[in-house]
Amino acid sequence: MCGRYALYSPIEAVARLFGVAEMHAHDVAPRYNIAPTQEVPIVRRSPYPSAETLPADALPPRELALARWGLVPFWAKDPAIGNRMINARGETVAGKPAFRAAFRKRRCLVPADGFFEWQKTDDGKQPWYIRDAGGEPMALAGLWELWDPPDGGEPLASCTIITTGANELMRPLHDRMPVILDAPAREAWLAPDATPEQLQPLLVPAPDGVLEAWPVSRRVNSPFNEDSSLVEPA
């Protein structure tokens, strides 16, 4: 699974890297211990492209927006269901009632500088930090949804991170890992007309050799701890 991650690169640099044209989230502070139910940046195709400025044959622009981590399906009666929806399994995401509509229509990238995983040891669970071997921000495959409260309150934007089986690096730590999309896969993932048959092959483990990992302080176990030492080697 993916239950904690970090995003500390300047948000403007992240936006440039992922081709964002519209910014709806500014002054996003560096985060070293992002936890479920917190608000996180996502990159998606604009759901509200301007009819006047968008040519008929053009794709909706990419925008950077904020969403609560833990997807709340549009049909949910209680947003608390999102607390259990922080991850979606790539093998079943296309058919699960909570995710299938978003899989077809509301895909996104979840920017991350790295993510954490906990390895079982004789001394308890040891946290590890995993990142791109070149140190660049990664694009995790995600879905987003918009939930309208029954009382007519403010709509809630939420998201989930898709996981797949572990690659060779991750296998000693955990049997799952987030889906990490390279540049061509990002284009395909955000294509508005992509079919499930085109999308499913993207939901695979990262190739061996593109990630690096090291053990970190167990202070990361508490989401109340938030500083750069959490991603440094223990």
Side-chain angles (χ1 to χ4, degrees), residues 93-94 99-105 107 143 189 196 199-200 203:
V93 65
F99 303 122
R100 60 190 177 198
F103 180 67
R104 287 181 175 273
K105 301 178 181 178
R107 297 176 299 277
L143 308 174
W189 186 247
L199 296 168
Q200 201 64 49
L203 305 182

Side-chain angles (χ1 to χ4, degrees), residues 166-189:
N167 65 6
E168 184 178 1
L169 175 73
M170 289 294 301
R171 213 163 289 130
L173 309 180
H174 200 275
D175 62 354
R176 305 289 296 176
M177 68 181 296
V179 173
I180 302 169
L181 302 173
D182 61 15
R186 293 170 209 157
E187 294 292 332
W189 186 247

Side-chain angles (χ1 to χ4, degrees), residues 71-229:
L71 188 137
V72 181
F74 67 89
W75 43 257
K77 295 181 179 180
D78 186 338
I81 191 176
N83 300 347
R84 306 192 304 274
M85 304 288 183
I86 65 169
N87 291 156
R89 293 178 67 93
E91 299 88 339
T92 59
V93 65
K96 287 287 185 180
F99 303 122
R100 60 190 177 198
F103 180 67
R104 287 181 175 273
K105 301 178 181 178
R106 289 177 287 279
R107 297 176 299 277
C108 66
L109 311 177
V110 181
D113 280 289
F115 59 95
F116 298 95
E117 197 49 78
W118 280 258
Q119 181 186 35
K120 293 181 179 178
T121 70
D122 293 339
D123 191 28
K125 289 189 175 182
Q126 171 61 51
W128 286 67
Y129 183 62
I130 303 98
R131 72 168 194 176
D132 176 80
E136 282 203 345
M138 303 179 293
L140 310 184
L143 308 174
W144 68 275
E145 191 59 271
L146 197 64
W147 180 76
D148 290 309
D151 62 4
E154 188 73 18
L156 172 67
S158 62
C159 66
T160 190
I161 294 172
I162 299 180
T163 66
T164 185
N167 65 6
E168 184 178 1
L169 175 73
M170 289 294 301
R171 213 163 289 130
L173 309 180
H174 200 275
D175 62 354
R176 305 289 296 176
M177 68 181 296
V179 173
I180 302 169
L181 302 173
D182 61 15
R186 293 170 209 157
E187 294 292 332
W189 186 247
L190 294 180
D193 58 352
T195 65
E197 292 74 23
Q198 293 169 321
L199 296 168
Q200 201 64 49
L202 305 177
L203 305 182
V204 294
D208 294 325
V210 303
L211 301 175
E212 60 184 1
W214 54 78
V216 295
S217 169
R218 296 188 182 186
R219 291 181 57 246
V220 77
N221 292 353
S222 171
F224 296 105
N225 293 327
E226 177 69 77
D227 60 78
S228 61
S229 70

Side-chain angles (χ1 to χ4, degrees), residues 4-18:
R4 211 74 67 80
Y5 71 98
L7 177 63
Y8 42 81
S9 290
I11 199 63
E12 294 79 9
V14 172
R16 287 194 299 271
L17 179 64
F18 297 140

